[in-house]
Amino acid sequence: MKWKALTASVCLATALYSTAWAQDLPQAVSTEREMVVTANPLATAAGAKVLNNGGTAADAMIAVQTVLGLVEPQSSGLGGGAFIVYYDAETGTTTTIDAREKAPAAATEDRFLDDGGNSIGFSNAWQSGLSVGVPGVPRMMELMHERYGRLPMDRLIAPAIRLARGGFELTERTSSQVAGLLARNVAGEPRLFFRDPTAFAYFTTPDGEAKPAGTLMRNRPYAETLASLARQGADAFYTGPIAADIVAAVTGDLNIPGDMALADLAGYQVIERAPVCVDYRGHEVCGMGPPSSGGIAVGQMLGILQSFDLSGFERVSVEAAHLFAQAGRLAFADRNFYVADSDFVPVPVAGLIDDDYLASRAALIGPTDMGTASPGDPPGAFGAAGPDPTIKSSGTSHVSIVDRDGNALSMTTTVESSFGNGVMVHGFLLNNELTDFSFSPTDSAGNPVANRVEAGKRPRSSMSPSIVFDDGGKVEIVTGSPGGSRIIGYTAQSIMNMIDFGLDPQEAINSPHYGNRNSNTELETAIPGVTGPGDAADLQAGLEALGHPVSVRSLTSGLSIIQVTGDGFIGGADQRRDGAVGGR
Ligand code: GLY
C-alpha cells in the first residue's frame, strides 16, 4: 500500500505515520513526475519546490544542500564534502563527482601523532584545526549547476536564505546531539566541544545548555554567505574574505591549530571520475570509486552474495544475516587493506570487483562464521601494505532525486563527525574529514598504510551513493545512507532487500539492519513504529550458534531511496532520522 503524493513533502512526511498497516510502520510514497528524498522535511520541501518549478535534479540538489547545511548542520554543509553519482538522461551516461575534502599542502603523514609517535586521540584530532580538509561542497554546487542546472542560482538558494533570515525550528535530533557533545566536555578543563564561541552562542542558551527543540533559529551570516555564492560563484568561498576567515579559524584553533593556507582553498578542484559498476542478478549497481571505498565495498558485498540464492530465505533470518555478515567481513578486509585515494596509491579497482575474484571470495563462506577475514589477492593488486581498520563516526546525510526528465542524482554529503570540527565560520561549520585518514602511517609491521595522510590527498570514505539500473539500462533504484563505515552495509542491504526480497523502498528501510565490518556481527535494536516487521535481535541465538560474535545495538541509518517504476516513483525515507519524501 502506498501513499499518493499530491502535495509537497512536509504533508507527505506527516502522512507516513497516519496509515494503518501492520505495526503502524512508515509507508512508501508514490509520485508520478519527479521525486526527492532527504533526511529533513524542510530540505525535501525546498527540493520538491525546485522540481515543481521545472528545475533539474542538480538544481534541486543545490536547494536541498543549502537547506541541509542550515537545518541539519551536524551532518553536512558548505564547509564539508560530498560524492555524487549522476545519471544524465539526455546522453544516457552515468558519471560520478568527487567533491571530497583534501589535505592541505603542508600535511604530513605524522599529522595525528604526538612527539613520541603516539596517536593524539580521536577527540583531540576531531576538535582541532588539524582535521579540517579543504571543503568541496561550494565548488561541487557550482559545477553541477553549470553542467546540469536549468534555473538561476539565486532561485535555488532562496529557500535556505529565507529560512536562515526568517528562522526555522531546531529539531529534536539536532538539540540532543548538541547536548550529547556538551556532555563530553570535562569539568574543570577548557571546553573542547563547541570551544568556538560563535558555534557555542549559536547552539546553546545563555546558561550554556543546548537550545531546546523548537527554538527558532536564525543564521544571518549563512544567508549572507549564500548570497555571495549566488552573486560571485564559488570563488566567493575559495578566495577573498570567507577564505581568509576559514584559514584564520583553522590556524587559530583554540585546541590545536591546523595548517590550511589560502592557496589550498584557491586551488581546490572537484574531480569527475568513472563510476564503479557491478552486475547483481541482472541489475547494474553503480557507485562511487576511490577515494570512497563505498562503490567497491557495496559492489563486492553484492557480487559475493550473488553466489547464493537468497530468495528462498526470509529477509530477517539467520540464513540471510549469516551470508550478509560473511560478505561484509570479506568486503571490509579488502577495503581496509587496498582502498584509499587512487590519485596517490594504486587501488586495484577492477580486480576487486572482478567476477571470478568475487566468486573465489564467496567460496570462502561456509555454514559457520569465518572469523576475521583476511584481504584477498585481487587481479592487479599492489605489493605489501598495511590495513587501516579504524572505525569512524558519522556526520553525514544522503539525498536521492529524480527529475521530470529522468535525470537521477544520488549524493552523500558530510562534515564527517557530528557538527564537523565544531567551529563556525560565516554561518557554516568546518569539517573534520581528515580524521578519515589512518592516524598511523604504518601498520605494526612497519608497512605503509594506503590511507595514510599525504599532502593534497583525499581521505578514504565509506560514502556509497548508488544508482541501480535494470537489465534494459533504465534507472531503477537511487539509494544511499549516512552512518560512518556502516553506510556500506546499509546501502548494500537496501539493494538486497529490494532485489532479492521484493520490498518497496520504505519496507527496505524499515527492515531491521544486520551486518558485519569484519568484527562483531551487529543486529539492530528494534524501534517501535520505525523498524520491523521482525526483530534482528531474534537472530542473536541462531547466529551465535553459528559462531558469530554478536552485538545488538541501535543502527541509525538515514536511507533515502527512490524506486523508478513504469508509472512514476516510489519513495522511502528513514524515520531513524527525520527523513521525508517529496515531489509530484
Ligand atoms: N565522513 C564519512 C565518510 O566519508 O565515510
Side-chain angles (χ1 to χ4, degrees), residues 100 396 414 416 433 436 461-463:
R100 185 70 162 168
T396 303
T414 185
E416 169 44 15
E433 212 67 51
D436 266 354
S461 172
S462 301
M463 295 197 288

Side-chain angles (χ1 to χ4, degrees), residues 128-152:
S128 81
L130 293 175
S131 62
V132 186
V134 184
V137 164
R139 204 52 99 190
M140 174 278 287
M141 294 195 307
E142 179 180 71
L143 178 135
M144 292 298 290
H145 188 241
E146 278 171 10
R147 199 179 283 187
Y148 303 115
R150 183 177 294 146
L151 301 182

Side-chain angles (χ1 to χ4, degrees), residues 123 126-127 181-182 184-185 191-195 200:
S123 293
W126 166 15
Q127 298 296 316
L181 289 192
L182 288 171
R184 293 175 68 156
N185 286 316
R191 193 177 61 238
L192 184 60
F193 293 93
F194 295 104
R195 67 198 174 290
F200 186 70

Side-chain angles (χ1 to χ4, degrees), residues 75 81 83 100-101 291-294 335 392-396 412-417 432-433 435-436 459-464 481-488:
S75 297
F83 291 120
R100 185 70 162 168
E101 301 91 331
S292 185
S293 60
R335 165 199 183 268
K392 303 289 167 50
S393 58
S394 162
T396 303
T412 315
T413 178
T414 185
V415 286
E416 169 44 15
S417 300
N432 66 301
E433 212 67 51
T435 58
D436 266 354
R460 184 187 66 200
S461 172
S462 301
M463 295 197 288
S464 310
S481 178
S485 52
R486 293 189 183 89
I487 290 172
I488 290 164

Side-chain angles (χ1 to χ4, degrees), residues 388-423:
D388 172 19
T390 42
I391 301 296
K392 303 289 167 50
S393 58
S394 162
T396 303
S397 206
H398 185 80
V399 177
S400 293
I401 306 175
V402 184
D403 66 27
R404 64 181 67 184
D405 299 320
N407 302 303
L409 180 145
S410 184
M411 174 175 79
T412 315
T413 178
T414 185
V415 286
E416 169 44 15
S417 300
S418 195
F419 301 96
N421 90 331
V423 173

